[in-house]
Amino acid sequence: MAEAPILEVKNLRVEFPTRRGTLVAVDDISFSIAPGEVLGVVGESGAGKSMTGAAVIGLIEPPGRIAGGSISLAGRRIDDLPYEEMRKVRGREIGAIFQDPLTSLNPLYTIGRQITETILTHLPVSPAEAQQRAIGLLREVGIPAAEKRIDHYPHQFSGGMRQRVVIALALAANPKLIIADEPTTALDVSIQAQIIALIKKLCCEHGAAVMLVTHDMGVIAETADRVAVMYAGRIAEIGPVRDVIKAARHPYTDGLMASIPKVGRTDARLAQIDGAMPRLNAIPRGCAFNPRCTKAFDRCRAERPEPMRVGNSDVACWLYDAGQGGTR
Amino acid sequence: MLDSDVFHSFRRNPVVVVSAVVTAVFVLAALLAPWITPYHPYDLASLDLNDAFTPPAWTEDGSRRFLLGTDDQGRDVLSTIVFGARVSLLVGFCAVLFAMTVGITLGLVSGYVGGAVESVIMRVADVQLTFPGILIALLIDGLARTALPRDLHSEIALYVVIFAIGIANWPQFARTVRGSTLVEKSKEYVQAARVIGLHPGLIMLRHVLPNVMGPVLVIATLSLGFAILAEATLSFLGVGVPPTRPSLGTLIRVGNDFLFSGEWWMTIFPGAALIVLVLAVNLLGDWLRDALNPKLR
Amino acid sequence: MSTPGAPYIEVRGLARHFDVSKPLLNRVIEGQPRLILKAVDGIDFAIRKGETLSLVGESGCGKSTVARLIVGLYKPTRGQILFEGTDMGSLATRAEERALRKRFQMIFQDPYASLNPRWRVADIVAEPIRAHRLSSDPTEIRRRVDELLRQVGLSPADGEKFPHEFSGGQRQRISIARALSSNPEFLVCDEPTSALDVSVQAQILNLMKDLQRELGLTYLFISHNLAVVFHISDRVGVMYLGRLVELADARALFENPQHPYTRMLLDAIPDLDMTGRARTPVAGEVPNPLDPPKGCAFNPRCPFANDRCRTERPELRPVANGGVAACHAVEEGRLAAAPRLAPA
């Protein structure tokens, strides 16, 4: 952790102005990712996890906008870059893997052309070298007979193979950071395991930092080094994956983990968190989780908790404030 | 239907607001024609041939009694335009309504039932779409003329025109409705209704129909423009509505005879009215298409 | 009526093929043969009254098609579906069929597509009551709808709202209320929680279990999520390319899986307990269902496949975990027992 972080997000705030008022999709979140580290960002739909990824990569759909805070990539601020500059950063320094491999690839071009184009745009190499590199990448992501498959079109690949191509494309320019937004959600269970293993291996080898956005705790457990749990646009808890998964501190994380059915656990009922995540236009005062929290007290309803250091994690919960006699 | 997003996009768009106002003015004027026009142009008793060929009020020989001048019979051009728009709009609305009914029914059935029924209906629609709509309308009008006795024909000529234009228009509705029906049919709420055991007719009527009406509304508005133009074309060619109840097209044709003898106002003003009306309706339709299309929003 | 212990629902040699060929003209011009997708290719199972049988498998294995065959959304190409001994295909009149269908309902996967967006919730829930003419008295229907909404954890006031005013989990509750409104005995649930967040999934699974206990419902549960299946099922059937490869009691299947495909699926479950268990991601993907492999459909991915597996299709046979499996290797004892996840 002594290394300088590759990605540093400080007090990020993303807003969506609407006719009925401004919605805050991401509300004052901070985190960083070290080289070679996989940070899992997990949360339920509407928690703001994909929006955080989009903010980092500079692809928030207007009228949404970054309303505060900063995003730095290897020490350089990227949230205020002009569009053209940001376009160069994307692909060169940040690679992206999205949920649906079919829409991330252009159906009209061969995969080889798409990969070499990315390489040629961002790296100072000759077309022949780019071709060689593309074949190397395809081999690396486990595409059999890469030198032949390079001339195939996306529709000639199966779902799992296509996601491998997308990963090769994301790695094409040797980026420092990879944003993977639900990379396994559209895939079958047996393929999911393959893709997870692949992402982990490659990022380790390439020394790239990874921000893995997903709703699936299983994927996080398998892949991430640290994990940030998001709720209603805020980070509830962030810490080493073992701590968060095996000994969750925040009542939301705790409830979330308990509500996941597990093979081998034969309780008749699952633990459930009652209610639903608030809509963005109705986020409660104080801690956003307080109406659903079984441990909430007066302060939770009035005052928003800042992240507090608990063990190796940072937890935004008043239970851990020294003044409240928590388990500090 | 008119949820707030659509209304919002309406208010933000001045061209659309103007189009809506223009259309509304035409429709209102047409509805209230007998009460708002300065003269009743087809009341023979009030006509005075001495007023014939009066130019518009602002020209040298104009009379303040006739704002847009008079025609060869001494009829007030403004009044004939309002009465003409009444006929044009009536034919337009009825023709679209007719095309809509036929198109929606056939589209729903072919989309929902599928198989041979769908093939037959859609091939007929395809074949018909290879002919220009106006040609179909001309054909039907011609058939009616030869098949029906002369006096009967002039009596029902209006309905023949409505039928002709309506028939020329149904394939568009059928194709759109069929497409939307295929999409809706595959959705789980329709499957849920099937599991419940609802009769297919009821499923089409209660579940599918309300959910395919959005695109239908767009096409209906765009078709209204086409129908009004088609009627004007037919009337201009002299095969449309009977001269006893002239539409805008009839007025243009009649005025056309006098265009080169200097009485330009007799054809220019009805022509301008037709252009403004059709333009307004089409702009409205274009906007509606964009507003209801979630992809463009 | 039914004899005690006799299967409540029985499926015999059920198959459904889809013709996915291009239109005739294209076929003639391009010289292509007809393409037949064997979505379900001859499966047998039985469900006992009051139990939950789950069908699990990867996309394209035919599990959803089985669900739709049973509720009558598709007609079987071959085979029979017996409901308390009555062959559903043999019902002569529409009225007879309706009387039986009334006792079946279905819950769908996508809570955003399974409710008509233009209907009020109360009308959606009341639809089966009206369709089956269980009541025509508006106040009585309203009372029943209120009761149903309360039963699934919503409030009667929600009946006046439209579906878009609800979250995914609440919509799924509405779906369940609709399914229950004709007092069915048997619910077919097609991935009812796959589109939901985990905390909401827990709510819905708990609700389904509660309802099953209170109302004595029988479930056919379709899912790709093994942990959910383990949690909800009494028995589990594993499907692969239109065929059942293994069927056993849930515990037995998870503790002592027999078929190599079942083992592979269990191995692919992410390890949430972080035990550091080494996993061997299985190579390969599901083959093209239009052109399934000869012999056992799983043979190209199976580490135990031999020549017999590549030529002869295995049938379901009783196996060590008390269930049945279709595997030559298991039958011949070529597979070592693989003690599995579920701790005793």
Side-chain angles (χ1 to χ4, degrees):
Chain A
M1 285 290 151
E3 265 180 289
I6 287 207
L7 178 73
E8 189 155 32
V9 172
K10 273 188 189 155
N11 305 104
L12 178 69
R13 186 177 165 92
V14 177
E15 289 182 351
F16 276 79
T18 71
R19 275 179 286 131
R20 298 176 191 89
T22 301
L23 300 180
V24 184
V26 175
D27 189 2
D28 192 14
I29 68 168
S30 305
F31 62 89
S32 61
I33 311 180
E37 186 186 41
V38 179
L39 175 76
V41 177
V42 70
E44 299 182 277
S45 40
K49 52 189 194 305
S50 288
M51 201 56 69
T52 308
V56 171
I57 206 165
L59 286 179
I60 292 182
E61 293 272 337
R65 62 190 187 92
I66 296 177
S70 65
I71 301 169
S72 309
L73 187 68
R76 170 189 179 209
R77 262 191 86 160
I78 55 166
D79 56 293
D80 51 2
L81 288 181
Y83 183 82
E84 265 310 297
E85 286 286 301
M86 192 59 207
R87 200 180 57 77
K88 282 181 202 145
V89 172
R90 270 199 299 274
R92 174 71 192 89
E93 290 174 72
I94 307 180
I97 304 167
F98 293 110
Q99 175 171 350
D100 184 357
L102 201 53
T103 52
S104 327
L105 297 170
N106 187 331
L108 297 179
Y109 298 128
T110 64
I111 57 155
R113 174 157 174 200
Q114 298 183 52
I115 297 174
T116 45
E117 221 163 56
T118 310
I119 297 171
L120 288 172
T121 313
H122 296 294
L123 298 180
V125 293
S126 70
E129 285 168 323
Q131 178 85 1
Q132 272 317 302
R133 190 178 155 78
I135 294 175
L137 279 165
L138 288 176
R139 214 174 272 139
E140 225 182 334
V141 296
I143 301 226
E147 39 308 293
K148 245 169 59 195
R149 296 290 269 168
I150 194 163
D151 291 324
H152 286 188
Y153 290 87
H155 72 262
Q156 292 169 293
F157 291 82
S158 65
M161 284 296 153
R162 236 179 258 143
Q163 195 61 302
R164 288 170 189 268
V165 173
V166 173
I167 294 173
L169 194 60
L171 291 170
N174 235 337
K176 299 187 188 109
L177 173 71
I178 288 178
I179 310 267
D181 190 353
E182 305 273 7
T184 60
T185 307
L187 304 173
D188 272 322
V189 242
S190 63
I191 315 300
Q192 271 186 14
Q194 299 170 10
I195 298 295
I196 291 172
L198 180 67
I199 291 180
K200 202 169 165 80
K201 170 177 153 266
L202 288 180
C203 296
C204 215
E205 286 170 9
H206 286 242
V210 180
M211 179 172 162
L212 175 67
V213 176
T214 179
H215 70 280
D216 189 339
M217 269 294 183
V219 172
I220 296 281
E222 297 272 317
T223 323
D225 299 308
R226 283 191 309 136
V227 53
V229 182
M230 289 192 70
Y231 185 82
R234 307 166 185 185
I235 291 182
E237 177 166 4
I238 180 167
V241 69
R242 265 194 110 71
D243 295 19
V244 173
I245 284 187
K246 298 213 74 167
R249 314 275 181 159
H250 196 286
Y252 172 63
T253 322
D254 197 33
L256 196 64
M257 291 309 302
S259 69
I260 303 174
K262 291 186 191 73
V263 171
R265 212 172 62 184
T266 50
D267 332 349
R269 287 175 65 86
L270 293 164
Q272 67 178 52
I273 314 174
D274 289 323
M277 180 148 27
R279 292 189 180 195
L280 289 180
N281 56 10
I283 292 180
R285 242 167 74 84
C287 172
F289 186 59
N290 85 67
R292 302 174 71 189
C293 184
T294 49
K295 294 173 179 161
F297 47 96
D298 286 345
R299 191 174 182 189
C300 306
R301 286 181 271 272
E303 215 177 321
R304 175 175 168 183
E306 292 303 317
M308 280 161 257
R309 196 80 191 160
V310 186
N312 293 317
S313 307
D314 290 293
V315 186
C317 177
W318 288 126
L319 284 175
Y320 300 99
D321 191 36
Q324 289 292 337
T327 44
R328 185 85 189 245
Chain B
M1 265 323 294
L2 287 174
D3 46 64
S4 57
D5 279 342
V6 173
F7 183 66
H8 183 73
S9 116
F10 176 77
R11 282 208 329 203
R12 265 195 334 203
N13 198 332
V15 177
V16 176
V17 175
V18 171
S19 304
V21 169
V22 168
T23 312
V25 165
F26 266 98
V27 171
L28 275 178
L31 283 175
L32 305 174
W35 296 282
I36 58 165
T37 50
Y39 303 92
H40 196 299
Y42 304 109
D43 179 8
L44 291 175
S46 71
L47 290 183
D48 184 350
L49 272 179
N50 293 333
D51 292 331
F53 300 119
T54 311
W58 59 86
T59 55
E60 213 171 298
D61 300 323
S63 154
R64 290 180 59 189
R65 291 191 298 142
F66 306 107
L67 183 63
L68 300 180
T70 62
D71 68 0
D72 54 331
Q73 309 282 321
R75 286 185 285 239
D76 175 38
V77 170
L78 179 61
S79 304
T80 57
I81 287 176
V82 174
F83 273 85
R86 187 178 158 96
V87 176
S88 290
L89 278 169
L90 177 77
V91 172
F93 271 119
C94 292
V96 168
L97 214 62
F98 179 66
M100 225 164 105
T101 316
V102 175
I104 289 176
T105 312
L106 292 179
L108 265 180
V109 169
S110 62
Y112 193 84
V113 177
V117 177
E118 178 185 19
S119 301
V120 170
I121 295 176
M122 284 303 124
R123 287 307 83 74
V124 171
D126 286 346
V127 168
Q128 204 195 303
L129 277 174
T130 58
F131 298 101
I134 198 75
L135 205 65
I136 308 262
L138 268 173
L139 189 74
I140 291 170
D141 195 78
L143 279 177
R145 253 164 227 280
T146 40
L148 298 171
R150 207 186 158 78
D151 42 345
L152 181 63
H153 177 265
S154 60
E155 214 169 283
I156 62 161
L158 200 64
Y159 305 104
V160 172
V161 172
I162 289 171
F163 177 77
I165 297 174
I167 282 295
N169 241 341
W170 74 269
Q172 277 199 65
F173 286 96
R175 282 164 64 114
T176 311
V177 169
R178 172 183 160 268
S180 312
T181 303
L182 286 177
V183 173
E184 295 301 319
K185 185 186 160 192
S186 70
K187 288 198 183 156
E188 289 174 342
Y189 73 88
V190 173
Q191 297 187 11
R194 288 173 61 198
V195 173
I196 288 167
L198 228 56
H199 190 275
L202 277 181
I203 296 180
M204 280 188 249
L205 204 65
R206 287 201 210 150
H207 285 285
V208 182
L209 182 61
N211 286 297
V212 301
M213 281 310 280
V216 167
L217 212 68
V218 174
I219 297 193
T221 320
L222 290 172
S223 305
L224 181 61
F226 163 81
I228 292 172
L229 270 184
E231 182 277 327
T233 313
L234 290 179
S235 299
F236 185 80
L237 295 174
V239 295
V241 296
T244 45
R245 295 185 68 184
S247 68
L248 289 176
T250 324
L251 294 178
I252 297 170
R253 184 195 53 177
V254 173
N256 197 34
D257 297 341
F258 301 94
L259 186 59
F260 296 104
S261 55
E263 287 83 21
W264 51 271
W265 57 90
M266 283 171 57
T267 190
I268 293 294
F269 290 124
L274 182 69
I275 290 169
V276 170
L277 173 63
V278 172
L279 186 66
V281 169
N282 279 347
L283 284 173
L284 219 52
D286 274 344
W287 161 77
L288 204 60
R289 181 180 55 203
D290 297 348
L292 291 181
N293 185 348
K295 273 190 187 156
L296 293 173
R297 239 194 281 172
Chain C
M1 286 296 281
S2 60
T3 43
Y8 180 62
I9 304 248
E10 195 181 353
V11 163
R12 284 189 199 152
L14 188 66
R16 169 72 201 200
H17 300 173
F18 292 99
D19 187 344
V20 292
S21 346
K22 292 182 176 168
L24 180 67
L25 199 59
N26 299 43
R27 279 210 311 278
V28 171
I29 292 169
E30 294 164 26
Q32 285 176 343
R34 272 185 171 271
L35 287 177
I36 303 293
L37 174 68
K38 296 177 176 173
V40 178
D41 194 20
I43 64 169
D44 305 81
F45 62 83
I47 309 177
R48 293 186 281 259
K49 196 164 174 62
E51 78 166 353
T52 302
L53 174 77
S54 290
L55 291 180
V56 64
E58 296 177 278
S59 53
C61 72
K63 55 190 191 301
S64 286
T65 310
V66 173
R68 283 168 164 70
L69 281 164
I70 288 181
V71 295
L73 283 172
Y74 296 142
K75 292 267 167 282
T77 307
R78 264 191 288 116
Q80 295 170 301
I81 301 162
L82 304 164
F83 184 57
E84 290 182 333
T86 314
D87 184 353
M88 300 289 292
S90 72
L91 297 173
T93 65
R94 220 185 126 73
E96 275 181 320
E97 202 186 324
R98 275 175 77 105
L100 262 191
R101 291 258 175 258
K102 187 168 74 179
R103 298 160 70 184
F104 289 25
Q105 276 301 333
M106 182 156 176
I107 301 170
F108 293 88
Q109 172 175 2
D110 183 355
Y112 291 88
S114 59
L115 307 174
N116 188 335
R118 306 212 179 274
W119 284 31
R120 284 185 199 281
V121 168
D123 292 324
I124 292 174
V125 174
E127 190 178 21
I129 305 178
R130 297 199 175 111
H132 291 299
R133 300 198 182 81
L134 300 177
S135 167
S136 54
D137 173 22
T139 46
E140 196 190 320
I141 292 180
R142 185 65 225 212
R143 198 167 339 113
R144 175 84 179 116
V145 168
D146 289 354
E147 184 195 326
L148 285 161
L149 288 175
R150 231 176 268 123
Q151 203 166 16
V152 298
L154 296 169
S155 88
D158 289 332
E160 293 309 311
K161 298 183 187 162
F162 286 96
H164 68 86
E165 298 173 62
F166 294 90
S167 67
Q170 289 171 314
R171 285 171 194 232
Q172 207 58 310
R173 289 173 192 268
I174 298 170
S175 253
I176 294 174
R178 170 178 61 191
L180 293 177
S181 74
S182 60
N183 292 316
E185 302 154 18
F186 177 51
L187 287 190
V188 174
C189 316
D190 185 11
E191 306 250 13
T193 63
S194 316
L196 305 176
D197 282 317
V198 273
S199 71
V200 181
Q201 166 174 283
Q203 295 172 1
I204 298 296
L205 289 176
N206 285 340
L207 175 67
M208 289 182 60
K209 277 200 147 186
D210 293 346
L211 291 170
Q212 180 170 40
R213 207 178 45 241
E214 286 162 29
L215 306 171
L217 298 169
T218 306
Y219 288 147
L220 173 64
F221 194 93
I222 309 292
S223 180
H224 69 275
N225 185 327
L226 287 141
V228 168
V229 162
F230 177 82
H231 177 77
I232 194 121
S233 319
D234 297 307
R235 289 191 306 136
V236 177
V238 180
M239 286 186 71
Y240 190 74
L241 281 180
R243 311 258 297 171
L244 264 177
V245 297
E246 185 164 3
L247 178 73
D249 285 345
R251 273 191 86 86
L253 186 101
F254 281 85
E255 275 169 22
N256 189 11
Q258 295 295 307
H259 198 283
Y261 179 63
T262 313
R263 297 180 185 197
M264 190 204 90
L265 278 184
L266 293 186
D267 219 33
I269 302 173
D271 178 12
L272 260 180
D273 289 327
M274 316 257 327
T275 51
R277 169 174 58 93
R279 295 203 299 157
T280 39
V282 176
E285 296 184 28
V286 181
N288 181 358
L290 284 172
D291 183 23
K294 288 226 160 33
C296 170
F298 188 59
N299 84 66
R301 302 171 76 185
C302 182
F304 309 100
N306 64 10
D307 284 343
R308 187 182 174 201
C309 301
R310 284 183 273 274
T311 50
E312 183 188 335
R313 188 148 98 170
E315 296 299 325
L316 285 174
R317 305 224 186 281
V319 287
N321 63 13
V324 287
C327 177
H328 296 311
V330 173
E331 194 192 341
E332 295 164 12
R334 280 193 272 128
L335 275 187
R340 265 270 63 87
L341 302 171

